[in-house]
Amino acid sequence: VAEGEPSEGREPFELPRFWDALGQTFQVTSQEATKLSLAFSRPPLPSAENCRKLSEDVQNAILAVATVYYWLPKGQGTTLRKMVRDATTEVVEGMIQLTDAILNAPVESLSQEQLISTGGVWEACEQVSNLPRDNQAAVVSALAASLGVVKDAVEEMEHALVEGQDPYGDIMEDEELGFRGNRDTYWSEADRRLLSSCMGLMKASKACLKKVLAAVKAHGKADSPEHIAQLDDLADIANEISPSVDELALSMYPPVNPLAVRLNAAKLASVLTKVLEIAKTSHVCPPSEEGWVQFLTGAVDHNMNKVKNFTQGQL
């Protein structure tokens, strides 16, 4: 039987019931962590029988968390499922860390590591209340996280470019790094012309994520397998924007290698084009959204062509 599919005598999957069950198992796990930690917080230590009972209760709580996670079918969305899996993993790893802390702690006292580990389990278990409740909310969360990272990368590069000829000006001069007159530590005018087009691609990345995020918020639905799959496709490809922006930004620092910049720019442009194509053919882009898709597609092509022109004679 596929995960989440009703078997004989089993009711069909319902998201609200799943969230209730997951919340309960996380709460029980938090309580078991507290009981375990208190039992080993001061002498006398629990008896062998009590230790066995504590171990069984902890094991049952963790098995219940894992079991409920596996109730969530992939058909509800791979983006949502990954976020629930990550939260579940944190709870399990937190309990392992707490158990290790207790096993390695001095018998006489409550160790700092045990206190921290207990708090870590509580925090991991509380995360269930912040998890997105369906795949549309999960994709919104994933896109917003990517947008935040890309915004930071764009601001950092803008700051470096306006600081002057020396992007390493805040690093002290020494013989190993080289003096600030060294060609390896500043941008030439040719470099800056190339980098302005790269900045155009980075800004297009930010605009692309911002617009796709707004479209998913406004029009995204998790009411059918087709819509859920479209949202996952969009999240998967959009997830490639941030690392591609980072790779391009790293290659933009002096000494500039035009070939490396061009390759990284081409990779980012390809990712952005795919994002825009997938968005355009999905349910999150009704006719009212087509204008910005067309505009950003043109902006990506324009800046990539400029990068090609600036690097033509330097490769």
Side-chain angles (χ1 to χ4, degrees):
V1 179
E3 289 168 20
E5 292 297 319
S7 58
E8 195 174 332
R10 187 167 156 192
E11 293 180 17
F13 177 84
E14 292 176 6
L15 260 178
R17 291 182 65 190
F18 165 78
W19 287 116
D20 287 344
L22 193 70
Q24 286 170 14
T25 58
F26 273 45
Q27 186 179 6
V28 169
T29 303
S30 182
Q31 291 165 353
E32 292 303 328
T34 306
K35 279 166 54 181
L36 182 67
S37 193
L38 284 172
F40 289 91
S41 62
R42 66 180 75 85
L45 291 175
S47 65
E49 181 60 34
N50 284 341
C51 280
R52 188 158 52 248
K53 178 71 169 65
L54 283 165
S55 298
E56 284 176 6
D57 289 346
V58 166
Q59 186 177 2
N60 289 337
I62 290 297
L63 285 173
V65 165
T67 300
V68 174
Y69 158 66
Y70 279 112
W71 286 355
L72 182 62
K74 291 176 183 173
Q76 289 294 326
T78 55
T79 310
L80 175 66
R81 204 164 186 270
K82 183 182 183 303
M83 290 181 180
V84 176
R85 184 185 70 210
D86 289 347
T88 303
T89 302
E90 274 195 51
V91 171
V92 175
E93 288 177 346
M95 192 63 93
I96 292 169
Q97 190 176 338
L98 172 58
T99 307
D100 282 342
I102 290 170
L103 289 171
N104 296 321
V107 177
E108 312 83 49
S109 63
L110 180 66
S111 72
Q112 185 68 19
E113 190 180 344
Q114 185 178 333
L115 280 170
I116 293 168
S117 299
T118 306
V121 177
W122 292 343
E123 196 175 325
C125 290
E126 284 167 9
Q127 278 190 45
V128 71
S129 60
N130 299 322
L131 287 170
R133 264 25 195 183
D134 62 21
N135 206 48
Q136 187 259 2
V139 171
V140 165
S141 175
L143 291 171
S146 292
L147 176 59
V149 176
V150 169
K151 270 183 178 175
D152 288 346
V154 171
E155 285 171 15
E156 187 179 319
M157 186 51 67
E158 281 180 326
H159 181 68
L161 282 166
V162 298
E163 286 227 315
Q165 292 295 330
D166 182 8
Y168 301 116
D170 58 342
I171 299 174
M172 290 178 65
E173 296 174 1
D174 66 25
E175 290 179 9
E176 287 182 26
L177 288 171
F179 291 97
R180 290 161 77 176
N182 188 323
R183 172 66 185 86
D184 287 354
T185 67
Y186 71 91
W187 285 302
S188 67
E189 282 309 308
D191 290 340
R192 286 179 174 275
R193 284 194 295 272
L194 170 60
L195 300 191
S196 69
S197 302
C198 294
M199 280 304 303
L201 275 177
M202 289 175 71
K203 288 177 181 176
S205 304
K206 184 173 83 168
C208 182
L209 278 168
K210 198 172 179 181
K211 287 292 188 181
V212 170
L213 174 59
V216 172
K217 279 183 179 177
H219 309 291
K221 293 175 183 174
D223 57 356
S224 71
E226 184 186 4
H227 287 162
I228 288 170
Q230 286 177 352
L231 289 171
D232 281 332
D233 287 344
L234 202 48
D236 287 345
I237 186 64
N239 200 39
E240 295 180 29
I241 294 177
S242 173
S244 299
V245 165
D246 285 343
E247 285 176 29
L248 175 58
L250 284 171
S251 68
M252 288 163 67
Y253 279 96
V256 173
N257 179 334
L259 176 58
V261 170
R262 179 166 170 167
L263 287 173
N264 286 318
K267 183 183 174 186
L268 176 57
S270 173
V271 169
L272 293 176
T273 300
K274 282 182 194 170
V275 171
L276 292 166
E277 284 172 356
I278 289 171
K280 187 178 180 181
T281 56
S282 77
H283 71 284
V284 306
C285 276
S288 60
E289 303 283 346
E290 286 176 4
W292 64 262
V293 174
Q294 191 174 346
F295 174 80
L296 285 174
T297 301
V300 170
D301 289 343
H302 172 72
N303 282 294
M304 190 59 224
N305 284 332
K306 282 173 73 177
V307 169
K308 287 177 183 174
N309 290 337
F310 284 133
T311 54
Q312 206 65 51
Q314 301 177 55
L315 303 181

